[in-house]
Amino acid sequence: MKREVTVGIIGAGGIADYVHIPGFKSCPDARIAVVCDSDIASARTLAEKHGIERVCADYREVLVDKEIDGVVIATPNAYHAHIAAEALSAGKHVLLEKPMAMNTSEAVRLYRLAEKSKLVNMVAFNYRFVPAIRYLKHLIAEGELGTIYHVRAFYLQQWPLEGNWIWRCDKSIAGTGHLGDLGSHLVDFARFLVGEFRAVFGSLTVLVPTRMDPATGKQRTCDADDAAQFIARFTNGASGVFDMTRYAPGRGCKSGYQFLEINGSRGSAIYEFQAPEEDDSPDIPHDGDSLSLCLGPKESVAGVFRRVKVPEAFLKVPFSSRALPAKLPLVEPRYDQAQTFVHGIRTGSQVSPSFYDGLRAVQVIEAVERSSATRVEVPIEQIAP
């Protein structure tokens, strides 16, 4: 086994800056060798900020480097699948931003390639590593909520109405807007905690149809959704309601506000998560280390919720070397994504969430899009791993 795992970062945007790079820097047995971006100035700025010596503008330069074990692909969505496919073909382990692909057929091809390669493949559903979600997964697996009946999930953000045009406004680059960007986390939560989707019925809305392009000073069309709502049926009989928007004043323009409620035959659980920099009030459950629980016959009948701190065993993944701060901030639990990727490479074991999880999320996203266009319920094909 190598002394350290060497990683290349492809894409020098915000998510690389505040999640991926700090995550790998929290791993004592990992090193970031290069930051790559087609905008070389952005690559240099990010590399200088984090003390990374090497930059490049062509991702192929990263893929042919024999020193590099794995890559993070954090480019705009339209480039995810083909760069990931080239990386796997070059023998690189891949941590890929979500959504994994622009459509299901593209996602299936990439998943099959990853399976054939036997390389570690991971999709960046990093909120799975939030302690409250890990503990909720444990409670459900232990039967504490009983048979799951309902899931309600919200992901609300605040974008400025007068904001500038960015690539996420362009459907040809983004695939979908808020649904694929942050709504994909809700889809992954539901699959992770409740099970596979059976069918969806949804609606997508563009709320701000034009924005000013700062590069030209002219208005450009925004055709990617700003808001999405859908209802879902799961293969185990549960139902779900999902709501997401970019225009919810007070909900923050970074990670925004997440709400998840799961109701079962024996009890209910509520998870909430809001960026602390937006509101430091103690009444806002923003650090991801607690749940509101209504469990057991007496509490279920009385409808009593209790706020419960996540046990220490769930504050980070077992092999994580990340230090636990006195109070968990918004981002640091998500560093365990990098810890998990590195652990998988060093041990030669597949990790989760994998490309299969990414594929199943793309299926749901595409089905919601189709439902919005046709105004009918769309079934989800069950693809075996």
Side-chain angles (χ1 to χ4, degrees):
M1 194 164 16
K2 289 181 61 177
R3 184 181 62 82
E4 66 180 5
V5 171
T6 307
V7 178
I9 306 292
I10 301 174
I15 195 70
D17 180 22
Y18 70 87
V19 173
H20 292 303
I21 292 177
F24 284 103
K25 293 184 82 171
S26 77
C27 304
D29 51 357
R31 179 176 66 88
I32 300 171
V34 59
V35 174
C36 176
D37 197 284
S38 57
D39 181 350
I40 194 65
S42 295
R44 287 196 185 101
T45 298
L46 187 62
E48 289 172 5
K49 177 178 177 179
H50 292 281
I52 301 166
E53 293 183 3
R54 181 179 158 205
V55 299
C56 67
D58 187 345
Y59 70 86
R60 295 175 186 85
E61 185 178 326
V62 179
L63 301 187
V64 299
D65 189 333
K66 292 186 176 2
E67 178 192 26
I68 293 174
D69 302 296
V71 295
V72 174
I73 300 172
T75 63
N77 302 346
Y79 312 110
H80 286 179
H82 82 256
I83 296 178
E86 288 188 42
L88 292 169
S89 297
K92 307 302 183 189
H93 306 284
V94 178
L95 170 51
L96 179 60
E97 264 301 327
K98 48 75 198 162
M100 147 183 190
M102 296 286 276
N103 53 62
T104 298
S105 61
E106 191 176 63
V108 169
R109 287 194 297 272
L110 182 57
Y111 165 65
R112 300 299 183 202
L113 178 61
E115 286 293 285
K116 185 177 180 180
S117 75
K118 305 300 183 184
L119 293 161
V120 175
N121 54 87
M122 190 177 195
V123 174
F125 292 125
N126 52 65
Y127 288 107
R128 277 201 194 187
F129 298 96
V130 171
I133 294 297
R134 296 186 67 240
Y135 185 43
L136 180 51
K137 173 70 171 179
H138 167 78
L139 292 174
I140 292 172
E142 291 295 307
E144 294 291 337
L145 272 65
T147 301
I148 303 302
Y149 293 144
H150 312 293
V151 55
R152 297 173 187 83
F154 308 145
Y155 205 143
L156 313 178
Q157 246 186 351
Q158 178 184 352
W159 278 29
L161 290 171
E162 68 282 2
N164 290 332
W165 186 94
I166 61 172
W167 66 264
R168 292 192 183 279
C169 297
D170 186 339
K171 189 173 174 59
S172 69
I173 302 174
T176 62
H178 201 57
L179 173 63
D181 180 19
L182 299 185
S184 61
H185 286 297
L186 299 186
V187 172
D188 186 64
F189 278 164
R191 284 193 62 252
F192 183 55
L193 298 170
V194 178
E196 297 293 354
F197 285 76
R198 181 180 176 185
V200 294
F201 180 84
S203 176
L204 306 183
T205 307
V206 176
L207 298 172
V208 181
T210 61
R211 283 175 174 261
M212 192 269 288
D213 185 343
T216 64
K218 297 180 180 180
Q219 291 292 311
R220 290 191 62 172
T221 298
C222 300
D223 59 357
D225 57 278
D226 297 310
Q229 296 79 35
F230 66 94
I231 58 175
R233 293 188 291 138
F234 293 83
T235 57
N236 60 11
S239 63
V241 177
F242 298 79
D243 188 5
M244 58 221 72
T245 182
R246 286 172 172 163
Y247 297 110
R251 292 308 189 183
C253 62
K254 289 189 178 179
S255 290
Y257 171 72
Q258 300 172 2
F259 174 90
L260 183 69
E261 179 174 334
I262 297 181
N263 308 128
S265 60
R266 297 189 60 209
S268 297
I270 296 174
Y271 155 79
E272 292 181 87
F273 196 38
Q274 178 152 342
E277 66 267 30
E278 307 301 341
D279 188 338
D280 285 323
S281 165
D283 297 327
I284 299 293
H286 53 55
D287 53 15
D289 69 344
S290 64
L291 291 169
S292 294
L293 299 176
C294 174
L295 302 177
K298 291 184 180 179
E299 291 184 359
S300 297
V301 171
V304 176
F305 277 93
R306 293 178 297 111
R307 190 73 174 277
V308 175
K309 282 287 190 180
V310 171
E312 185 174 350
F314 296 91
L315 295 182
K316 62 180 183 178
V317 295
F319 46 79
S320 176
S321 57
R322 173 177 59 86
L324 287 176
K327 182 179 181 181
L328 294 173
L330 172 68
V331 173
E332 285 190 28
R334 293 150 68 188
Y335 296 170
D336 280 354
Q337 173 178 261
Q339 296 271 349
T340 300
F341 186 60
V342 170
H343 180 76
I345 293 172
R346 289 184 61 81
T347 60
S349 56
Q350 181 49 46
V351 300
S352 181
S354 68
F355 277 17
Y356 181 72
D357 298 298
L359 160 62
R360 297 315 300 262
V362 169
Q363 283 186 282
V364 175
I365 291 166
E366 188 174 54
V368 173
E369 285 188 282
R370 197 178 319 133
S371 176
S372 179
T374 61
R375 311 310 303 149
V376 298
E377 182 181 76
V378 175
I380 309 295
E381 179 188 358
Q382 300 306 306
I383 298 176

